[in-house]
């Protein structure tokens, strides 16, 4: 499995990093007991089921059943081969790859490589060529200095129609790959032309920092051209699952404790220039559940700073609703004065005042009440009553009684209505919400699981155990003992025990081979030795809550439990055959099957008596 990379080097790399630090770049982990837990990066969930064991250096998700060591995580998260994952982790540990391996570079997805080449090409044109001076002049007008241009890898696409096409063609990309990339448009006669022309180019990077798309800002005054032109969706780019600057911002978020959500990438750039490093933005579209989940894996502290105009405030309102639906977010909202967007505000008032605006972000309730005031004429008594009723509905949804009381006191002072009257109104609003919640719960109980919000993604059917839960638990316990105790393993082998599930038996056989062929034995190292389909079984077995030591008597008990399950399963099959024989009137088969069931029941009785005797 190690391929061309020496096994000693693989062990050195694995031992040189802490899996908690590596996974912590993708998931916000919290220490709970001996393990770290967080939201799974491989499927959506509301309650954390993703666990990382620092002592044994592996991870496991109790929801989707993925598990393994640091190499397996990188393979799953970044869609890497095993050698590529070793190379990536070695890079994190500042360990150079062996010279023999470097001579045979791993092939990357050609579309990802192409976008990296295109991003470098555009950036070089902007920074070093005469043809790029037009783009550089525009960048300076927008107050984008050299540090910003380098940090965001900003480039320039010249006005010529085939500059990028010619460059990439010479790099060896095929016509089919160029068409698939989305970087070109095709004429009626089949010729390809650069999609982006005379535009300042912003690479859109995936979570791991690889460019997968572009957004081009028009620098001419031609209003017939769109102000921003984005890449179409491709096999490597889905706009609803990408956040601009996410790969960089998530690193800062762990230090600063939050992410700041903007509407567009220019807002992120302007905020970065003003000292706000943890900014992210969607691709000019409304926020999606996928993007919310990406954010939630990193932090639950989010500041929303959309444009201050009416569309921006409405978009912020929708985003707040989406975060509330996901639950467990600590939200702050910034509404800039004079309907300014962040870029305009920074230019007008400077970085320090903008940072103060971010620090002064208001709560979702304050934001909602502020919007509500603008909706009604509070000098009109009828509209004032409508405002208070709507405000009570919002305050009633707050979980904290302290928060409710704070807003009631404030509302009473603003409106001149007594606190007692407002509390009575609040009680009615809470009763209404309880009735609605009960009705909604009943309706959701009738819905198929896939239509429920944040439906859990179950493991494929082939991964779901087909044996009874008791037997599965016994197998786990026996495999745990088989791997962890030389005495237990020898005892099971001496008595000819075979795991009923082929996967467990394969894992046991692989452990024997591993122990015989390796001087340095570790569970994390074993995971690199076994086929991928066995890794989750091994990790889930070790992660199960089991006593540390197992006696030979308990081994017998677990084997007996498996045997009892086998007998029950066999009896069940025979009973189905008896029903079939009865329908056919086959008396001879009925007699034979009945005798077989009686023998199995006797065998089960003897097994249970033996189990009872061993437990005394």
């Amino acid at each position: 499995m190690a391929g061309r990379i020496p096994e000693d080097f693989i062990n050195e790399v694995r031992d040189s990093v802490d899996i908690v630090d590596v996974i912590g770049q993708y998931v916000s982990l919290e220490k709970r007991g001996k393990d770290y837990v967080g939201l799974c990066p491989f499927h959506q969930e509301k309650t954390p089921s993703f666990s990382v064991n620092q002592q044994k250096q592996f991870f496991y998700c109790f929801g989707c059943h993925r598990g393994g060591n640091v190499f397996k995580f990188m393979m799953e998260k970044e869609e890497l081969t095993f050698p590529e994952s070793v190379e990536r982790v070695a890079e994190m540990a500042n360990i150079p790859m062996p010279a023999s391996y470097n001579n045979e570079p791993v092939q990357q997805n050609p579309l990802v490589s192409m976008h990296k080449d295109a991003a470098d090409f555009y950036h070089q044109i902007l920074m070093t060529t005469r043809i790029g001076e037009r783009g550089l002049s525009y960048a300076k007008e927008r107050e984008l200095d050299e540090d910003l241009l380098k940090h965001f890898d900003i480039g320039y696409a010249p006005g010529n129609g085939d500059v990028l096409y010619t460059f990439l063609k010479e790099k060896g990309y095929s016509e089919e790959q160029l068409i698939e990339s989305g970087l070109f448009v095709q004429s009626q006669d089949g010729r390809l032309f650069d999609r982006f022309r005379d535009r300042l180019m912003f690479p859109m990077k995936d979570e791991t920092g690889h460019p997968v798309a572009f957004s081009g800002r028009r620098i001419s005054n031609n209003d017939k051209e769109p102000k921003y032109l984005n890449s179409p969706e491709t096999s490597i780019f889905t706009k609803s699952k990408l956040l601009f600057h996410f790969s960089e911002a998530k690193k800062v978020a762990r230090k600063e404790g939050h992410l700041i959500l903007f509407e567009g990438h220019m807002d992120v750039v302007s905020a970065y220039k003003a000292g706000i490093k943890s900014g992210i933005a969607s691709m000019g579209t409304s926020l999606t559940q996928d993007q919310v989940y990406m954010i939630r894996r990193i932090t639950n502290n989010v500041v929303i700073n959309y444009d201050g105009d009416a569309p921006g405030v409405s978009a912020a309102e929708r985003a707040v609703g989406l975060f509330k639906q996901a639950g467990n977010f600590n939200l702050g909202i910034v509404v800039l004065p004079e309907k300014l967007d962040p870029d305009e505000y920074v230019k007008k008032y400077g970085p320090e005042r903008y940072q103060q605006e971010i620090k002064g972000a208001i709560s979702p309730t304050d934001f909602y009440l502020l919007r509500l005031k603008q909706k009604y004429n509070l000098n009109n008594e009828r509209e004032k009553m409508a405002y208070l009723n709507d405000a009570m509905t919002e305050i009633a949804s707050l979980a904290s009684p302290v928060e409710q009381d704070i807003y009631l006191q404030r509302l009473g002072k603003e409106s001149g209505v007594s606190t007692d009257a407002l509390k009575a109104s609040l009680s009615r609003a809470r009763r209404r919400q309880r009735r609605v919640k009960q009705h909604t719960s009943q309706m959701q109980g009738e819905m198929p699981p896939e239509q429920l919000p944040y439906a859990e993604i179950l493991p494929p059917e082939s991964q779901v155990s087909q044996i009874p839960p008791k037997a599965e638990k016994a197998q786990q316990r026996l495999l745990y003992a088989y791997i962890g105790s030389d005495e237990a393993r020898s005892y099971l082998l001496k008595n000819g025990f075979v795991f009923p599930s082929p996967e467990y038996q394969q894992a046991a056989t692989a452990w024997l081979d591993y122990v015989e062929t390796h001087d340095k034995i570790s569970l994390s190292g074993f995971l690199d030795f076994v086929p991928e389909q066995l890794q989750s079984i091994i990790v889930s077995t070790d992660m199960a809550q089991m006593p540390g030591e197992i006696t030979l008597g308990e081994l017998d008990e677990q084997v007996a439990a498996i045997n009892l399950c086998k007998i029950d399963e066999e009896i069940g099959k025979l009973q189905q055959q008896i029903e079939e024989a009865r329908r056919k009137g086959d008396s001879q088969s009925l007699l034979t099957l009945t005798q077989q069931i009686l023998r199995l029941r006797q065998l089960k009785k003897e097994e249970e008596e033996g189990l009872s005797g061993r437990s005394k």
Side-chain angles (χ1 to χ4, degrees):
M1 187 174 181
R4 299 182 301 272
I5 309 175
E7 188 172 335
D8 288 345
F9 181 81
I10 293 173
N11 294 334
E12 179 190 355
V13 171
R14 189 179 55 248
D15 295 342
S16 297
V17 297
D18 186 341
I19 194 172
V20 174
D21 294 335
V22 174
I23 295 180
Q25 298 178 37
Y26 301 84
V27 180
S28 179
L29 296 172
E30 178 184 342
K31 185 77 181 293
R32 289 188 188 171
K34 63 183 178 59
D35 295 331
Y36 289 80
V37 299
L39 291 169
C40 181
F42 306 117
H43 80 285
Q44 288 194 2
E45 58 182 5
K46 281 194 170 182
T47 304
S49 62
F50 183 82
S51 182
V52 183
N53 187 301
Q54 189 174 39
Q55 180 184 359
K56 297 179 178 177
Q57 290 292 296
F58 54 64
F59 72 94
Y60 184 72
C61 177
F62 293 92
C64 68
H65 307 291
R66 284 182 171 91
N69 61 15
V70 66
F71 299 135
K72 176 65 172 175
F73 179 84
M74 297 303 290
M75 290 169 67
E76 292 274 2
K77 191 69 193 78
E78 298 198 19
E79 298 182 354
L80 303 174
T81 63
F82 180 75
E84 287 172 336
S85 70
V86 175
E87 186 175 11
R88 186 67 59 84
V89 178
E91 184 181 334
M92 293 178 179
N94 293 317
I95 300 174
M97 294 295 290
S100 59
Y101 176 76
N102 290 334
N103 291 335
E104 300 180 47
V106 176
Q107 292 297 314
Q108 195 177 39
N109 182 321
L111 292 191
V112 175
S113 300
M114 187 189 304
H115 277 77
K116 177 65 168 66
D117 287 338
D120 292 342
F121 180 67
Y122 286 141
H123 185 68
Q124 287 301 313
I125 287 177
L126 178 71
M127 305 298 289
T128 63
T129 70
R130 178 173 295 181
I131 198 173
E133 290 177 357
R134 173 174 166 80
L136 196 59
S137 176
Y138 176 81
K140 290 178 179 178
E141 288 176 17
R142 297 299 301 265
E143 299 180 10
L144 303 177
D145 59 27
E146 188 172 337
D147 289 340
L148 285 173
L149 295 176
K150 288 181 178 179
H151 176 79
F152 290 96
D153 292 325
I154 299 170
Y156 174 66
N160 310 49
D162 61 355
V163 175
L164 182 66
Y165 174 80
T166 303
F167 171 74
L168 293 177
K169 195 72 174 173
E170 290 176 353
K171 294 280 287 186
Y173 295 104
S174 69
E175 198 77 3
E176 291 75 18
Q177 291 169 342
L178 296 172
I179 293 171
E180 189 184 352
S181 71
L183 294 172
F184 306 94
V185 292
Q186 198 167 19
S187 65
Q188 291 183 347
D189 61 3
R191 289 187 299 166
L192 295 182
F193 296 93
D194 295 359
R195 179 180 296 276
F196 301 98
R197 306 181 205 176
D198 195 27
R199 289 179 179 273
L200 205 62
M201 300 297 290
F202 295 84
M204 301 292 158
K205 301 179 181 180
D206 63 14
E207 188 173 347
T208 60
H210 297 122
V212 293
F214 288 93
S215 181
R217 172 59 161 93
R218 185 191 73 215
I219 66 176
S220 71
N221 296 321
N222 185 1
D223 294 336
K224 294 180 181 179
E225 292 285 335
K227 187 175 181 180
Y228 286 99
L229 181 65
N230 296 330
S231 292
E233 293 195 348
T234 65
S235 60
I236 62 170
F237 166 57
T238 304
K239 62 183 177 182
S240 64
K241 297 181 179 181
L242 182 141
L243 289 163
F244 178 73
H245 198 237
F246 187 71
S247 61
E248 294 297 325
K250 67 182 182 180
K251 301 172 187 175
V252 184
R254 291 185 175 86
K255 181 172 64 176
E256 296 187 354
H258 61 232
L259 285 169
I260 302 176
L261 180 63
F262 297 96
E263 274 190 275
H265 53 270
M266 274 307 300
D267 296 326
V268 175
V269 175
S270 297
Y272 191 92
K273 181 173 59 176
I276 305 296
K277 311 295 186 184
S278 58
I280 55 176
S282 55
M283 282 281 293
T285 58
S286 297
L287 195 68
T288 67
Q289 282 192 345
D290 286 321
Q291 292 165 336
V292 168
Y293 191 74
M294 286 173 64
I295 293 169
R296 191 177 173 198
R297 280 195 288 104
I298 303 304
T299 180
N300 63 350
N301 298 316
V302 180
V303 176
I304 301 172
N305 182 197
Y306 283 2
D307 294 355
D309 57 11
V313 174
S314 296
E317 221 169 25
R318 289 193 298 272
V320 168
L322 204 56
F323 280 113
K324 279 189 172 183
Q325 181 185 340
N328 298 321
F329 275 99
N330 177 27
L331 290 179
I333 297 95
V334 175
V335 181
L336 296 174
E338 305 171 40
K339 300 182 179 180
L340 298 174
D341 63 33
D343 186 37
E344 294 167 336
Y345 188 93
V346 170
K347 287 177 179 176
K348 185 170 183 178
Y349 294 107
E352 291 184 5
R353 279 192 54 178
Y354 179 66
Q355 290 177 16
Q356 291 302 316
E357 292 281 357
I358 295 295
K359 290 178 182 177
I362 60 177
S363 71
T365 304
D366 281 322
F367 175 66
Y368 180 81
L369 295 178
L370 181 65
R371 292 278 286 148
L372 210 55
K373 282 182 183 178
Q374 297 168 351
K375 182 179 176 182
Y376 292 105
N377 176 11
L378 300 185
N379 293 320
N380 179 291
E381 291 300 321
R382 181 177 60 83
E383 292 202 27
K384 185 177 182 180
M385 284 297 299
Y387 162 71
L388 290 174
N389 284 333
D390 285 350
M392 284 299 108
T393 300
E394 176 67 15
I395 294 171
S397 68
L398 297 173
S400 167
V402 175
E403 273 190 281
Q404 289 181 349
D405 193 60
I406 289 173
Y407 284 107
L408 280 183
Q409 298 286 348
R410 186 189 303 173
L411 204 60
K413 291 180 181 178
E414 291 176 354
S415 63
V417 178
S418 71
T419 305
D420 290 339
L422 290 176
K423 284 182 178 179
S425 180
L426 179 65
S427 296
R428 288 194 296 273
R430 286 161 68 181
R431 285 196 296 272
R432 283 196 303 270
Q433 288 184 0
R434 278 197 296 268
R435 287 196 295 270
V436 170
K437 190 173 182 180
Q438 289 171 356
H439 178 69
T440 302
S441 297
Q442 291 171 359
M443 291 292 290
Q444 286 189 346
E446 299 170 1
M447 291 170 64
E450 66 270 12
Q451 293 183 15
L452 293 173
Y454 282 89
E456 294 293 326
I457 300 175
L458 296 176
E461 191 173 325
S462 61
Q463 294 180 15
V464 180
S465 174
Q466 299 301 314
I467 68 172
K470 283 186 178 179
E472 176 74 18
K473 188 174 181 180
Q475 279 198 119
Q476 276 198 334
R477 183 63 172 140
L478 288 171
L479 183 60
Y480 182 84
Y482 195 96
I483 291 175
S485 167
D486 293 340
E487 182 184 14
R489 182 168 61 257
S490 297
Y491 184 79
L492 290 171
L493 288 170
K494 180 181 176 181
N495 287 278
F497 174 75
V498 176
F499 288 91
S501 292
E503 297 86 355
Y504 278 84
Q505 184 57 39
Q506 289 173 26
T509 303
W511 178 254
L512 277 180
D513 292 341
Y514 176 71
V515 170
E516 291 174 359
T517 56
H518 289 72
D519 295 326
K520 185 180 179 182
I521 306 299
S522 71
L523 192 62
S524 187
F526 178 50
L527 293 176
D528 294 331
F529 182 79
V530 299
E532 186 174 330
Q533 63 268 25
L534 299 182
Q535 294 185 14
S536 292
I537 290 175
I538 295 163
V539 174
S540 64
T541 296
D542 200 82
M543 294 287 279
Q545 298 297 319
M546 296 184 187
E549 296 182 3
I550 185 168
T551 64
L552 298 184
E554 188 187 345
L555 287 178
D556 289 335
E557 291 174 11
Q558 300 295 348
V559 172
I562 289 175
N563 290 336
L564 286 172
C565 288
K566 286 181 180 179
I567 293 171
D568 285 337
E569 184 180 5
E570 198 61 37
I571 290 174
K573 290 178 181 178
L574 291 173
Q575 287 173 335
Q576 289 177 353
Q577 293 176 34
I578 283 177
E579 290 299 321
E580 183 67 22
R582 280 177 181 159
R583 283 196 297 272
K584 293 179 178 179
D586 187 348
S587 57
Q588 183 59 45
S589 293
L590 273 173
L591 178 61
T592 302
L593 291 168
T594 302
Q595 290 174 341
Q596 290 178 6
I597 286 180
L598 289 174
R599 281 196 297 271
L600 285 172
R601 284 178 174 166
Q602 179 61 32
L603 183 61
K604 181 178 179 181
K605 183 180 179 182
E606 293 171 1
E607 193 74 46
E608 286 175 336
E609 288 175 352
L611 185 60
S612 175
R614 283 190 292 269
S615 62
K616 289 180 180 179

